[in-house]
Amino acid sequence: MLKPNTNYASLKDSYLFYNISQKINSHLEKNPNAHLLRLGIGDVSMPLPAAVIKALHQAVDDQAAKQTFHGYMHECGAPFLRDIIAAHYQKRGVDINADEVFVSSGASDELGDILDLFDKSDTALIMEPAYPAYVDANIMAGRKIIHLPAGKENGFLPSPAKEAKADIIYICSPGNPTGAVFTRKQLKQWVDFANENGSVILFDAAYEAFIEEKELPRSIFEIEGAKTCAIEICSLSKTAGFTGTRLGYTVIPKELSCSGMNFNRMWVRNRTTKTNGVSYIIQKGAAAVFTDEGQAQIKENINVYKQNAKVLMQALDKLGIWYCGGKNAPYVWMKVPDYFDSWSFFDYLLNEAGIVGTPGAGFGNCGEGYFRLSSFGSTEDTKTAAVQMVRLLKQS
Ligand code: PLP
């Protein structure tokens, strides 16, 4: 008899964004003319950079002529893109070769697919509050999850400890939802811990482009010893506005092996079986991101979000409210005033000022009492929201 994957029955319904949209709909029904100030979104609002658009157009034209047409692409990524990404790492002093770079359709796809490399009996460590997909992907695979709570006392950057021993270790830096960034020293502790225990770190670098402080690591491979214990998953979604265009890349060093199995070779085998590669057109657009022109243009867009984050941080500073993130990340993670929990704070901001944020409780139990503000919204709305928040919270 057919047996479905019953692990799906263990998944909790994600009420977070459903609840948020229900509350917004009911608010708009009562206030049909209300203009909402959306600081809840994790999606970008700036269009693709001009260099990318030009490359996309050119690639479409390539597909129109016999001499330049491309059919199936290499499953692991087009050599031109793998080369340019490896060179991008090399320029930053990180020694990565093109055959250690795998092009993907985005970090979400890859975060799910990469679990194919591990046995079902492997345990997964998830630092919470966390990006919800880490938990759900492991529940679907029937894997045991070890939850490592983080909090204000460690700046939402927990250190390795006996109870954090696991086979797979998720690290997201800069973090979603907290915006907190691990220092070099903190990451080195995790790398040493993983090497000592034979664990693999899945390093989610989806927000690395927001790091502005030079001494903070943007790649786990800036840390000595990482090549024998880490896989890095990157995305152009937030770096270059590719949320709807879709492209990511994953770095699996050749040194990463376990029980005689080499993870880089395993991933080549996986990709050549399970995908026929990413579209030529999109890979051409992605290559433009790594040119000097592309890099200058993405920086301009990121600066718009950074300016928004600054406006939010200034408002919280004025109010004397604790927060982390914002400086090297697109998210500001704030403590809600004592007399609220994260959902009642959501209601208060929505009803009193039309501000939409994200309640921290939606990212795991230790997110309760906190609230995520995103800098991906429009500059005008962010400024208005900041003024409104100061007005509201000063008087309450
Ligand atoms: N990882 C983190 C931490 C994210 O916040 C997101 C998206 O919001 C992703 C991965 C997924 O990115 P992509 O658009 O490349 O699938």
Side-chain angles (χ1 to χ4, degrees):
M1 203 171 95
L2 176 79
K3 267 174 88 181
N5 180 348
T6 51
N7 294 320
Y8 280 68
S10 307
L11 290 167
K12 287 204 193 99
D13 280 335
S14 173
Y15 291 116
L16 179 62
F17 293 104
Y18 177 75
N19 274 0
I20 290 176
S21 70
Q22 292 288 97
K23 281 173 184 279
I24 290 174
N25 289 344
S26 118
H27 180 81
L28 289 176
E29 256 168 42
K30 283 184 230 143
N31 310 278
N33 298 321
H35 171 69
L36 293 182
L37 306 166
R38 294 183 187 269
L39 304 184
I41 55 166
D43 199 353
V44 292
S45 54
M46 300 290 290
L48 289 170
V52 172
I53 294 295
K54 191 171 158 211
L56 289 171
H57 278 298
Q58 175 65 54
V60 170
D61 288 342
D62 288 350
Q63 294 297 69
K66 211 168 181 178
Q67 301 86 327
T68 48
F69 169 78
H70 285 75
Y72 284 128
M73 300 301 289
H74 192 293
E75 297 89 341
C76 299
F80 67 77
L81 184 55
R82 297 178 89 187
D83 284 345
I84 204 168
I85 293 172
H88 182 69
Y89 274 100
Q90 300 273 357
K91 243 188 255 169
R92 292 186 347 217
V94 181
D95 188 21
I96 296 294
N97 290 316
D99 55 1
E100 295 173 308
V101 176
F102 295 85
V103 175
S104 74
S105 293
S108 276
D109 312 50
E110 205 75 343
L111 282 162
D113 293 350
I114 204 85
L115 294 176
D116 274 4
L117 292 177
F118 306 101
D119 192 79
K120 285 206 170 31
S121 65
D122 288 337
T123 53
L125 178 82
I126 298 176
M127 301 173 196
E128 290 190 341
Y131 181 54
Y134 304 156
V135 173
D136 287 352
N138 282 286
I139 291 177
M140 286 176 191
R143 204 165 270 118
K144 183 177 166 209
I145 298 172
I146 298 162
H147 299 268
L148 181 64
K152 197 175 154 205
E153 66 290 348
N154 53 24
F156 288 92
L157 298 166
S159 306
K162 255 201 305 234
E163 61 275 15
K165 213 171 145 186
D167 301 305
I168 305 165
I169 298 171
Y170 283 84
I171 298 182
C172 183
S173 180
N176 179 11
T178 64
V181 185
F182 282 91
T183 63
R184 218 166 275 280
K185 193 171 157 210
Q186 288 168 323
L187 271 193
K188 175 76 174 127
Q189 286 173 349
W190 278 107
V191 165
D192 290 346
F193 182 74
N195 276 323
E196 277 159 27
N197 295 311
S199 318
V200 170
I201 294 173
L202 292 183
F203 190 76
D204 185 341
Y207 298 101
E208 55 86 17
F210 288 78
I211 296 179
E212 59 184 46
E213 285 174 73
K214 289 243 163 3
E215 58 280 11
L216 291 172
R218 289 175 62 168
S219 163
I220 186 94
F221 299 116
E222 290 175 38
I223 310 298
E224 199 196 331
K227 283 190 173 181
T228 51
C229 70
I231 290 175
E232 178 156 295
I233 295 176
C234 301
S235 166
L236 293 190
S237 283
K238 312 299 160 69
T239 302
F242 270 60
T243 50
T245 306
R246 310 303 303 147
L247 192 123
Y249 54 96
T250 297
V251 177
I252 309 183
K254 293 227 188 91
E255 289 94 321
L256 187 65
S257 291
C258 172
S259 305
M261 305 285 287
N262 180 273
F263 286 99
N264 181 290
R265 277 202 296 275
M266 285 163 73
W267 198 235
V268 171
R269 192 70 178 84
N270 181 295
R271 295 293 82 184
T272 49
T273 304
K274 292 198 168 182
T275 138
N276 269 327
V278 176
S279 132
Y280 166 73
I281 296 165
I282 304 301
Q283 292 197 69
K284 276 295 202 186
V289 170
F290 297 94
T291 60
D292 290 344
E293 198 189 3
Q295 288 292 300
Q297 291 170 359
I298 63 166
K299 211 163 170 204
E300 270 175 42
N301 284 0
I302 287 173
N303 279 341
V304 171
Y305 303 134
K306 280 190 164 291
Q307 200 48 44
N308 288 347
K310 207 170 187 177
V311 166
L312 295 171
M313 291 190 290
Q314 279 164 352
L316 296 175
D317 286 339
K318 249 189 222 166
L319 290 162
I321 290 178
W322 185 92
Y323 63 90
C324 61
K327 186 162 168 53
N328 297 290
Y331 301 120
V332 180
W333 179 249
M334 64 176 283
K335 178 102 187 66
V336 304
D338 285 342
Y339 35 92
F340 292 107
D341 63 19
S342 63
W343 275 108
S344 59
F345 187 62
F346 174 91
D347 292 336
Y348 182 67
L349 288 187
L350 176 63
N351 295 329
E352 300 299 322
I355 298 171
V356 181
T358 313
F363 299 99
N365 290 342
C366 51
E368 182 50 272
Y370 294 88
F371 201 74
R372 190 188 78 174
L373 300 171
S374 159
S375 67
F376 286 125
S378 85
T379 298
E380 218 173 82
D381 284 359
T382 307
K383 281 185 183 159
T384 312
V387 171
Q388 293 292 342
M389 226 156 58
V390 171
R391 175 186 65 81
L392 263 185
L393 299 179
K394 245 198 176 137
Q395 71 190 17
S396 61

